[in-house]
Amino acid sequence: MPELPEVETVRRGLEQLVIGKTIQSVSVYWDRMIEGGDKEKVAFELVGQTVEAIQRRGKFLIFRYTANDLISHLRMEGKYEFFPQETPPSKHTHVIFHFTDGSELHYQDVRKFGRFALVAKGKSAKYAGIAKLGPEPTNDQFLLGTFQQGLAKSKKAVKPLLLEQKLVTGLGNIYVDEALWQAKIHPERLACTLTTDESIALHQAIIDVLDKAVIAGGTTIRTYHNALGEAGTFQVALHAYGQQGKPCSRCGTLIVKTKVAQRGTHFCPNCQKVEG
């Protein structure tokens, strides 16, 4: 599933491709891609509107049009492909944005899990999926004190707590495993048992890991490519996720894989002790 670094990389690519372009028409081939199922409304509303900006909140993309915001959630395997001229849809193309200059932006999704929601301009922050998100994982928004208070109040294991997107947004399975490895914290540790030093280390690890992954263009495990058709490269820097059976780059102990909250989870049993 695309996580924050992948979605941010897609956003940056789309900025280079479609900012300033005006919608001529929208073709929707899978009605359930549109929340509420009203594809005609989306197609009608967007005609004549220009893409003014593309922003990101957590794992959501927000296309800022002249009069509306179009919220896009890639879910498992959604991706965008840009074509400079009219191009027939592929088997997995479910939405096409046709621009007045003849170019097209295709939304492709093998599993058809991706979703679009059209809201009034400037109202995307009130969209249900976005309104509940925690802060972005940056030093100016992701405040250590607030994070520590959230950890202290929770009796949940730290990994599933981080996956909820409430204490901080943008983390998925890959980057939670990586941040916990960097901070030397076992994924099943109860959040409320973390020491002050551990919470500080985890806070910084989350910022560091996501920042490095954005710089690397995300992680390509299977099918992820950005809007320019490029694969991410952060997979070569992974220390925990997908490294089961390989020696820990810190201590040499073999990385193991287990399940935590029904998610495949990777950690070093020597560096990341389950005991507090």
Side-chain angles (χ1 to χ4, degrees), residues 11 18 29 37 41 50 57 69 132 141 147 156 168 199 203 212 214 229 236-237 255 272 275-276:
R11 186 197 68 78
V18 301
Y29 303 107
K41 178 182 178 181
T50 299
R57 181 71 172 98
D69 289 350
K132 65 182 181 181
Q141 296 187 46
F147 180 58
K156 295 181 180 179
V168 60
S199 64
H203 178 264
K212 290 174 183 176
V214 168
V236 301
I255 298 293
Q272 298 167 263
E275 303 87 3

Side-chain angles (χ1 to χ4, degrees), residues 48-221:
Q49 293 199 45
T50 299
V51 184
E52 296 181 338
I54 302 172
Q55 299 175 344
R56 179 194 54 75
R57 181 71 172 98
K59 303 177 189 179
F60 292 88
L61 286 169
I62 304 169
F63 291 77
R64 306 285 191 188
Y65 284 93
T66 310
N68 289 96
D69 289 350
L70 182 67
I71 299 167
S72 168
H73 196 349
L74 303 177
R75 295 285 177 86
M76 292 293 290
E77 294 195 27
K79 62 181 180 179
Y80 286 96
E81 189 166 2
F82 177 81
F83 297 96
Q85 67 282 318
E86 183 178 349
T87 302
S90 69
K91 177 182 178 182
H92 300 298
T93 298
H94 306 300
V95 182
I96 299 179
F97 301 90
H98 308 271
F99 298 111
T100 54
D101 64 359
S103 62
E104 297 179 343
L105 182 65
H106 291 206
Y107 177 75
Q108 302 166 344
D109 195 331
V110 173
R111 300 194 183 189
K112 300 180 180 178
F113 289 164
R115 292 294 181 268
F116 291 88
L118 188 68
V119 300
K121 188 172 183 178
K123 298 297 183 181
S124 58
K126 295 184 178 180
Y127 174 70
I130 292 177
K132 65 182 181 181
L133 295 177
E136 293 289 318
T138 58
N139 282 306
D140 60 330
Q141 296 187 46
F142 183 32
L143 303 180
L144 175 60
T146 305
F147 180 58
Q148 290 175 320
Q149 290 172 14
L151 292 172
K153 291 177 182 178
S154 178
K155 295 183 179 180
K156 295 181 180 179
V158 65
K159 176 168 182 174
L161 179 64
L162 292 176
L163 289 174
E164 288 181 354
Q165 310 298 305
K166 294 178 181 178
L167 291 185
V168 60
T169 190
L171 286 169
N173 209 38
I174 295 173
Y175 300 114
V176 168
D177 282 2
E178 290 300 301
L180 290 171
W181 179 88
Q182 180 173 317
K184 300 182 180 180
I185 296 171
H186 193 283
E188 293 181 299
R189 277 281 302 280
L190 296 185
C192 61
T193 69
L194 298 188
T195 66
T196 298
D197 286 345
E198 287 174 327
S199 64
I200 292 172
L202 180 57
H203 178 264
Q204 192 58 51
I206 290 168
I207 294 173
D208 289 347
V209 166
L210 291 175
D211 185 56
K212 290 174 183 176
V214 168
I215 293 171
T219 301
T220 296
I221 299 297

Side-chain angles (χ1 to χ4, degrees), residues 159 163 173-174 177 241-242 256-267:
K159 176 168 182 174
L163 289 174
N173 209 38
I174 295 173
D177 282 2
Y241 185 87
V256 300
K257 180 179 181 181
T258 186
K259 276 197 174 183
V260 176
Q262 305 303 310
R263 304 295 297 274
T265 298
H266 310 76
F267 66 97

